[in-house]
Amino acid sequence: MIVRTLDEITDTERDVEAENKQWRSKRIVLAKDGVGFSVHETVLQPGTINDFWYANHIEAVFITEGEGELYDKDNDITYQLAPGSIYVLSGNEKHQLRPKTLMKTVCVFTPPVTGREVHDENGVYPLITE
């Protein structure tokens, strides 16, 4: 059984912030926990534009706080996001997240991330295994 709190993760190696301070991700469950997925709380700053492309992972994102837009760059569709919304990048879609207000999300990745991944110039996490 795994039991953790966000307070335990804050300011540890599991607490990662983008260099430009546009988002902060607390990696609650990682690959080394051995459960087949990873779980993160990610907070995104309002007014930012965040380009991502998880070419090696499936990601599900549940919005718990705040509002914004998700732009599907592959299909030229914009979705409105609010608390209670979920989106699943089941086709490895290139996307852009545009928070209108401070947004808090819970993200699940499969395969699980290790916590050592860094977005490359295309917004991609490399596939790193434990």
Side-chain angles (χ1 to χ4, degrees), residues 65-95:
E65 184 179 313
E67 296 182 355
E69 293 179 337
L70 170 68
Y71 175 56
D72 177 346
K73 295 168 82 173
D74 289 341
N75 299 297
D76 193 31
I77 301 171
T78 300
Y79 301 92
Q80 299 303 308
L81 301 174
S85 302
I86 190 170
Y87 64 90
V88 180
L89 301 163
S90 56
N92 305 104
E93 296 86 356
K94 294 178 183 174
H95 60 289

mmCIF file of all heavy atoms in Angstrom, residues 65-95:
data_model
loop_
_atom_site.group_PDB
_atom_site.id
_atom_site.type_symbol
_atom_site.label_atom_id
_atom_site.label_comp_id
_atom_site.label_asym_id
_atom_site.label_seq_id
_atom_site.Cartn_x
_atom_site.Cartn_y
_atom_site.Cartn_z
ATOM 1 N N GLU A 65 -9.544 22.491 -10.343
ATOM 2 C CA GLU A 65 -9.723 23.913 -10.009
ATOM 3 C C GLU A 65 -9.302 24.758 -11.202
ATOM 4 O O GLU A 65 -8.317 24.453 -11.868
ATOM 5 C CB GLU A 65 -8.860 24.258 -8.803
ATOM 6 C CG GLU A 65 -9.011 25.669 -8.280
ATOM 7 C CD GLU A 65 -8.133 25.910 -7.055
ATOM 8 O OE1 GLU A 65 -8.132 25.054 -6.146
ATOM 9 O OE2 GLU A 65 -7.453 26.955 -7.033
ATOM 10 N N GLY A 66 -10.043 25.831 -11.457
ATOM 11 C CA GLY A 66 -9.662 26.784 -12.489
ATOM 12 C C GLY A 66 -10.297 26.489 -13.835
ATOM 13 O O GLY A 66 -10.988 25.499 -14.031
ATOM 14 N N GLU A 67 -10.046 27.430 -14.764
ATOM 15 C CA GLU A 67 -10.615 27.320 -16.104
ATOM 16 C C GLU A 67 -9.549 27.614 -17.139
ATOM 17 O O GLU A 67 -8.588 28.329 -16.876
ATOM 18 C CB GLU A 67 -11.776 28.297 -16.268
ATOM 19 C CG GLU A 67 -12.933 27.995 -15.350
ATOM 20 C CD GLU A 67 -14.108 28.944 -15.546
ATOM 21 O OE1 GLU A 67 -14.001 29.897 -16.335
ATOM 22 O OE2 GLU A 67 -15.132 28.708 -14.884
ATOM 23 N N GLY A 68 -9.754 27.038 -18.318
ATOM 24 C CA GLY A 68 -8.815 27.275 -19.397
ATOM 25 C C GLY A 68 -9.275 26.607 -20.666
ATOM 26 O O GLY A 68 -10.424 26.158 -20.775
ATOM 27 N N GLU A 69 -8.356 26.548 -21.618
ATOM 28 C CA GLU A 69 -8.636 25.938 -22.905
ATOM 29 C C GLU A 69 -7.592 24.882 -23.225
ATOM 30 O O GLU A 69 -6.425 25.022 -22.865
ATOM 31 C CB GLU A 69 -8.586 26.979 -24.027
ATOM 32 C CG GLU A 69 -9.660 28.013 -23.973
ATOM 33 C CD GLU A 69 -9.542 29.020 -25.102
ATOM 34 O OE1 GLU A 69 -8.434 29.197 -25.667
ATOM 35 O OE2 GLU A 69 -10.568 29.644 -25.407
ATOM 36 N N LEU A 70 -8.044 23.850 -23.904
ATOM 37 C CA LEU A 70 -7.166 22.827 -24.448
ATOM 38 C C LEU A 70 -7.281 22.925 -25.960
ATOM 39 O O LEU A 70 -8.377 22.809 -26.509
ATOM 40 C CB LEU A 70 -7.612 21.437 -23.982
ATOM 41 C CG LEU A 70 -6.944 20.256 -24.664
ATOM 42 C CD1 LEU A 70 -5.461 20.181 -24.287
ATOM 43 C CD2 LEU A 70 -7.659 18.962 -24.320
ATOM 44 N N TYR A 71 -6.159 23.148 -26.619
ATOM 45 C CA TYR A 71 -6.146 23.214 -28.077
ATOM 46 C C TYR A 71 -5.498 21.949 -28.616
ATOM 47 O O TYR A 71 -4.330 21.675 -28.321
ATOM 48 C CB TYR A 71 -5.400 24.464 -28.563
ATOM 49 C CG TYR A 71 -5.245 24.530 -30.056
ATOM 50 C CD1 TYR A 71 -6.359 24.471 -30.894
ATOM 51 C CD2 TYR A 71 -3.996 24.642 -30.644
ATOM 52 C CE1 TYR A 71 -6.221 24.520 -32.267
ATOM 53 C CE2 TYR A 71 -3.852 24.696 -32.023
ATOM 54 C CZ TYR A 71 -4.972 24.633 -32.828
ATOM 55 O OH TYR A 71 -4.828 24.678 -34.191
ATOM 56 N N ASP A 72 -6.260 21.177 -29.374
ATOM 57 C CA ASP A 72 -5.771 19.968 -30.033
ATOM 58 C C ASP A 72 -5.114 20.418 -31.328
ATOM 59 O O ASP A 72 -5.800 20.750 -32.297
ATOM 60 C CB ASP A 72 -6.941 19.021 -30.274
ATOM 61 C CG ASP A 72 -6.578 17.759 -31.024
ATOM 62 O OD1 ASP A 72 -5.476 17.688 -31.617
ATOM 63 O OD2 ASP A 72 -7.410 16.832 -31.044
ATOM 64 N N LYS A 73 -3.799 20.460 -31.335
ATOM 65 C CA LYS A 73 -3.045 20.965 -32.486
ATOM 66 C C LYS A 73 -3.134 20.025 -33.680
ATOM 67 O O LYS A 73 -3.012 20.464 -34.820
ATOM 68 C CB LYS A 73 -1.583 21.187 -32.089
ATOM 69 C CG LYS A 73 -1.422 22.282 -31.043
ATOM 70 C CD LYS A 73 -0.035 22.320 -30.438
ATOM 71 C CE LYS A 73 0.931 23.069 -31.304
ATOM 72 N NZ LYS A 73 2.239 23.245 -30.611
ATOM 73 N N ASP A 74 -3.355 18.745 -33.437
ATOM 74 C CA ASP A 74 -3.450 17.787 -34.532
ATOM 75 C C ASP A 74 -4.761 17.915 -35.300
ATOM 76 O O ASP A 74 -4.809 17.653 -36.502
ATOM 77 C CB ASP A 74 -3.313 16.354 -34.015
ATOM 78 C CG ASP A 74 -1.902 16.031 -33.553
ATOM 79 O OD1 ASP A 74 -0.963 16.754 -33.937
ATOM 80 O OD2 ASP A 74 -1.746 15.047 -32.806
ATOM 81 N N ASN A 75 -5.828 18.286 -34.608
ATOM 82 C CA ASN A 75 -7.157 18.318 -35.222
ATOM 83 C C ASN A 75 -7.779 19.708 -35.268
ATOM 84 O O ASN A 75 -8.936 19.847 -35.666
ATOM 85 C CB ASN A 75 -8.083 17.342 -34.486
ATOM 86 C CG ASN A 75 -7.556 15.928 -34.583
ATOM 87 O OD1 ASN A 75 -7.465 15.373 -35.673
ATOM 88 N ND2 ASN A 75 -7.159 15.352 -33.457
ATOM 89 N N ASP A 76 -7.027 20.739 -34.834
ATOM 90 C CA ASP A 76 -7.479 22.131 -34.856
ATOM 91 C C ASP A 76 -8.830 22.315 -34.156
ATOM 92 O O ASP A 76 -9.752 22.916 -34.685
ATOM 93 C CB ASP A 76 -7.540 22.650 -36.293
ATOM 94 C CG ASP A 76 -7.692 24.169 -36.356
ATOM 95 O OD1 ASP A 76 -7.185 24.859 -35.444
ATOM 96 O OD2 ASP A 76 -8.331 24.670 -37.313
ATOM 97 N N ILE A 77 -8.920 21.776 -32.932
ATOM 98 C CA ILE A 77 -10.134 21.896 -32.128
ATOM 99 C C ILE A 77 -9.748 22.467 -30.766
ATOM 100 O O ILE A 77 -8.760 22.053 -30.178
ATOM 101 C CB ILE A 77 -10.819 20.528 -31.925
ATOM 102 C CG1 ILE A 77 -11.187 19.907 -33.271
ATOM 103 C CG2 ILE A 77 -12.057 20.660 -31.037
ATOM 104 C CD1 ILE A 77 -11.663 18.468 -33.161
ATOM 105 N N THR A 78 -10.553 23.415 -30.269
ATOM 106 C CA THR A 78 -10.344 23.992 -28.947
ATOM 107 C C THR A 78 -11.472 23.555 -28.022
ATOM 108 O O THR A 78 -12.647 23.640 -28.386
ATOM 109 C CB THR A 78 -10.283 25.530 -29.021
ATOM 110 O OG1 THR A 78 -9.201 25.911 -29.881
ATOM 111 C CG2 THR A 78 -10.066 26.145 -27.641
ATOM 112 N N TYR A 79 -11.104 23.084 -26.836
ATOM 113 C CA TYR A 79 -12.065 22.641 -25.824
ATOM 114 C C TYR A 79 -11.971 23.563 -24.615
ATOM 115 O O TYR A 79 -10.874 23.959 -24.216
ATOM 116 C CB TYR A 79 -11.751 21.214 -25.371
ATOM 117 C CG TYR A 79 -11.773 20.201 -26.486
ATOM 118 C CD1 TYR A 79 -10.614 19.882 -27.184
ATOM 119 C CD2 TYR A 79 -12.963 19.556 -26.832
ATOM 120 C CE1 TYR A 79 -10.630 18.944 -28.201
ATOM 121 C CE2 TYR A 79 -12.985 18.610 -27.852
ATOM 122 C CZ TYR A 79 -11.810 18.315 -28.537
ATOM 123 O OH TYR A 79 -11.821 17.384 -29.537
ATOM 124 N N GLN A 80 -13.106 23.864 -24.010
ATOM 125 C CA GLN A 80 -13.144 24.641 -22.781
ATOM 126 C C GLN A 80 -13.015 23.683 -21.597
ATOM 127 O O GLN A 80 -13.643 22.625 -21.574
ATOM 128 C CB GLN A 80 -14.451 25.440 -22.690
ATOM 129 C CG GLN A 80 -14.639 26.438 -23.817
ATOM 130 C CD GLN A 80 -13.494 27.428 -23.927
ATOM 131 O OE1 GLN A 80 -13.108 28.068 -22.946
ATOM 132 N NE2 GLN A 80 -12.924 27.557 -25.124
ATOM 133 N N LEU A 81 -12.197 24.064 -20.634
ATOM 134 C CA LEU A 81 -11.962 23.229 -19.461
ATOM 135 C C LEU A 81 -12.389 23.963 -18.195
ATOM 136 O O LEU A 81 -12.171 25.172 -18.073
ATOM 137 C CB LEU A 81 -10.479 22.877 -19.352
ATOM 138 C CG LEU A 81 -9.861 22.134 -20.533
ATOM 139 C CD1 LEU A 81 -8.356 21.995 -20.332
ATOM 140 C CD2 LEU A 81 -10.517 20.782 -20.722
ATOM 141 N N ALA A 82 -12.964 23.230 -17.267
ATOM 142 C CA ALA A 82 -13.401 23.769 -15.973
ATOM 143 C C ALA A 82 -13.354 22.618 -14.964
ATOM 144 O O ALA A 82 -13.174 21.460 -15.354
ATOM 145 C CB ALA A 82 -14.818 24.338 -16.089
ATOM 146 N N PRO A 83 -13.511 22.916 -13.684
ATOM 147 C CA PRO A 83 -13.503 21.840 -12.698
ATOM 148 C C PRO A 83 -14.500 20.742 -13.080
ATOM 149 O O PRO A 83 -15.627 21.019 -13.492
ATOM 150 C CB PRO A 83 -13.926 22.538 -11.406
ATOM 151 C CG PRO A 83 -13.441 23.945 -11.588
ATOM 152 C CD PRO A 83 -13.680 24.234 -13.053
ATOM 153 N N GLY A 84 -14.039 19.506 -13.002
ATOM 154 C CA GLY A 84 -14.859 18.362 -13.382
ATOM 155 C C GLY A 84 -14.602 17.888 -14.798
ATOM 156 O O GLY A 84 -15.077 16.824 -15.183
ATOM 157 N N SER A 85 -13.843 18.658 -15.589
ATOM 158 C CA SER A 85 -13.482 18.233 -16.951
ATOM 159 C C SER A 85 -12.335 17.244 -16.903
ATOM 160 O O SER A 85 -11.468 17.324 -16.033
ATOM 161 C CB SER A 85 -13.015 19.429 -17.797
ATOM 162 O OG SER A 85 -13.975 20.433 -17.899
ATOM 163 N N ILE A 86 -12.330 16.328 -17.867
ATOM 164 C CA ILE A 86 -11.201 15.425 -18.046
ATOM 165 C C ILE A 86 -10.887 15.374 -19.532
ATOM 166 O O ILE A 86 -11.783 15.487 -20.365
ATOM 167 C CB ILE A 86 -11.491 14.007 -17.505
ATOM 168 C CG1 ILE A 86 -10.208 13.162 -17.495
ATOM 169 C CG2 ILE A 86 -12.595 13.324 -18.294
ATOM 170 C CD1 ILE A 86 -10.343 11.828 -16.750
ATOM 171 N N TYR A 87 -9.603 15.275 -19.851
ATOM 172 C CA TYR A 87 -9.226 14.969 -21.229
ATOM 173 C C TYR A 87 -8.176 13.869 -21.196
ATOM 174 O O TYR A 87 -7.397 13.764 -20.266
ATOM 175 C CB TYR A 87 -8.758 16.199 -22.010
ATOM 176 C CG TYR A 87 -7.515 16.890 -21.536
ATOM 177 C CD1 TYR A 87 -6.254 16.523 -22.013
ATOM 178 C CD2 TYR A 87 -7.582 17.946 -20.626
ATOM 179 C CE1 TYR A 87 -5.099 17.182 -21.596
ATOM 180 C CE2 TYR A 87 -6.440 18.607 -20.207
ATOM 181 C CZ TYR A 87 -5.209 18.227 -20.698
ATOM 182 O OH TYR A 87 -4.061 18.869 -20.294
ATOM 183 N N VAL A 88 -8.245 13.026 -22.218
ATOM 184 C CA VAL A 88 -7.344 11.886 -22.323
ATOM 185 C C VAL A 88 -6.652 11.963 -23.672
ATOM 186 O O VAL A 88 -7.313 11.989 -24.711
ATOM 187 C CB VAL A 88 -8.104 10.546 -22.180
ATOM 188 C CG1 VAL A 88 -7.145 9.369 -22.290
ATOM 189 C CG2 VAL A 88 -8.865 10.499 -20.859
ATOM 190 N N LEU A 89 -5.345 12.022 -23.647
ATOM 191 C CA LEU A 89 -4.552 12.094 -24.866
ATOM 192 C C LEU A 89 -4.276 10.666 -25.328
ATOM 193 O O LEU A 89 -3.165 10.161 -25.227
ATOM 194 C CB LEU A 89 -3.275 12.880 -24.605
ATOM 195 C CG LEU A 89 -3.548 14.309 -24.118
ATOM 196 C CD1 LEU A 89 -2.314 14.906 -23.491
ATOM 197 C CD2 LEU A 89 -4.071 15.165 -25.252
ATOM 198 N N SER A 90 -5.311 10.034 -25.843
ATOM 199 C CA SER A 90 -5.246 8.622 -26.199
ATOM 200 C C SER A 90 -4.573 8.374 -27.539
ATOM 201 O O SER A 90 -4.234 7.246 -27.862
ATOM 202 C CB SER A 90 -6.652 8.023 -26.204
ATOM 203 O OG SER A 90 -7.487 8.761 -27.085
ATOM 204 N N GLY A 91 -4.371 9.441 -28.326
ATOM 205 C CA GLY A 91 -3.723 9.313 -29.628
ATOM 206 C C GLY A 91 -2.421 10.067 -29.701
ATOM 207 O O GLY A 91 -1.981 10.439 -30.794
ATOM 208 N N ASN A 92 -1.822 10.337 -28.545
ATOM 209 C CA ASN A 92 -0.553 11.068 -28.472
ATOM 210 C C ASN A 92 -0.633 12.422 -29.179
ATOM 211 O O ASN A 92 0.309 12.861 -29.832
ATOM 212 C CB ASN A 92 0.596 10.228 -29.040
ATOM 213 C CG ASN A 92 0.708 8.887 -28.361
ATOM 214 O OD1 ASN A 92 0.317 7.876 -28.932
ATOM 215 N ND2 ASN A 92 1.206 8.862 -27.152
ATOM 216 N N GLU A 93 -1.759 13.090 -29.022
ATOM 217 C CA GLU A 93 -1.988 14.352 -29.706
ATOM 218 C C GLU A 93 -1.047 15.462 -29.232
ATOM 219 O O GLU A 93 -0.796 15.611 -28.039
ATOM 220 C CB GLU A 93 -3.439 14.830 -29.480
ATOM 221 C CG GLU A 93 -4.498 13.928 -30.062
ATOM 222 C CD GLU A 93 -4.908 12.785 -29.143
ATOM 223 O OE1 GLU A 93 -4.322 12.624 -28.041
ATOM 224 O OE2 GLU A 93 -5.814 12.045 -29.523
ATOM 225 N N LYS A 94 -0.566 16.252 -30.178
ATOM 226 C CA LYS A 94 0.140 17.493 -29.838
ATOM 227 C C LYS A 94 -0.937 18.451 -29.358
ATOM 228 O O LYS A 94 -2.005 18.575 -29.974
ATOM 229 C CB LYS A 94 0.843 18.057 -31.072
ATOM 230 C CG LYS A 94 1.968 17.180 -31.577
ATOM 231 C CD LYS A 94 2.583 17.767 -32.830
ATOM 232 C CE LYS A 94 3.662 16.840 -33.351
ATOM 233 N NZ LYS A 94 4.190 17.292 -34.646
ATOM 234 N N HIS A 95 -0.662 19.126 -28.244
ATOM 235 C CA HIS A 95 -1.701 19.977 -27.672
ATOM 236 C C HIS A 95 -1.105 21.189 -26.970
ATOM 237 O O HIS A 95 0.092 21.256 -26.702
ATOM 238 C CB HIS A 95 -2.584 19.178 -26.717
ATOM 239 C CG HIS A 95 -1.851 18.576 -25.558
ATOM 240 N ND1 HIS A 95 -0.970 17.522 -25.685
ATOM 241 C CD2 HIS A 95 -1.862 18.887 -24.241
ATOM 242 C CE1 HIS A 95 -0.476 17.218 -24.499
ATOM 243 N NE2 HIS A 95 -1.000 18.033 -23.601
#
